[in-house]
Amino acid sequence: MEYQRFLTQGFKPFNPLELAKETEKIVTKKGEEGLERKYTNFYSVPVYRGIATGYAVGCCLRCIYCWSDWSRDFPEKFGNFYSPKQVAQNLFKAAEEGIIYSNYWRKLITKVNKLRLSGCEPTIGKEHLLAILEFVENSKYPLFILETNGIILGSDKDYVKRLAEFKDKIYVRVSFKAATQKALPKEPVQLENFINSLLKL
Amino acid sequence: MDEGIYARAAAMTDPRIMPKEEKQILIQMLNEIDPKANYTKNLEEEVIDAYDATIKRLKAFEDKEFAERLIKKFYMND
């Protein structure tokens, strides 16, 4: 089966859990220090009043309005593999450095002590994520935010049980895309106007 | 939540993509799962931002030729 890229009209409905498995084959690999996973970058950003963020490659959804970079659709072409230890070290380093890409935000947020995985879908690569949390657990950082669409966690009780081992530090933010199966427009609903309205923002 | 993990819901409720009725169903479902969170008042609502990738994904959904050009672009150097 061809790997699902961004959606086009007439796309075949797909099972996100199957796509997660396909994506995991691309974005993870066994390494000497545990399961490695692909990320595009690590740096601190102003959201959550300052947070060191790792941007994971690859997702199990294909929302047409998604803001993630093209590593979502072409995971084989973007990012580099990092071991759990390297991810933790990069997050700690990003927190120590604080916000470096904007003097404005650097002046407003002088200290970063929260960590986060975001970007595409960070729960892809279960053993990798759980291993990162071991490092976070033993660090000085009090809070780790996991941003997820919840699909994989919702299908794997063991994953949630094992995440709960880190419940003193973890906060899970689940971003819902829909409540019903009518999530996508059935026809090209004035997308031109829609795009124009976005560009005017 | 049953495992004691602190969790909160956010949702893509931009009215350009999610009808009001769907949003209400979602909030109702979330309130049933976690009444204390009171998502009627406290749901973190996401909106669509005009990132370059977002605009191109939306255009690709509508315009097949654009989508094909976009895919070719990613494979040009292979």
Side-chain angles (χ1 to χ4, degrees), chain A residues 172-188:
Chain A
V172 180
R173 177 188 182 273
V174 184
S175 174
F176 289 85
K177 314 302 176 190
T180 68
Q181 291 184 0
K182 292 183 261 177
L184 279 168
K186 287 178 182 165
E187 49 192 86

Side-chain angles (χ1 to χ4, degrees), chain B residues 34-63:
Chain B
D34 185 8
K36 283 183 190 166
N38 188 8
Y39 285 111
T40 310
K41 282 188 175 175
N42 301 325
L43 180 64
E44 184 191 335
E45 299 192 49
E46 298 173 353
V47 292
I48 300 172
D49 290 319
Y51 289 100
D52 182 63
T54 309
I55 298 293
K56 284 180 177 155
R57 284 190 181 110
L58 285 164
K59 200 171 175 193
F61 186 65
E62 183 189 40
D63 183 341

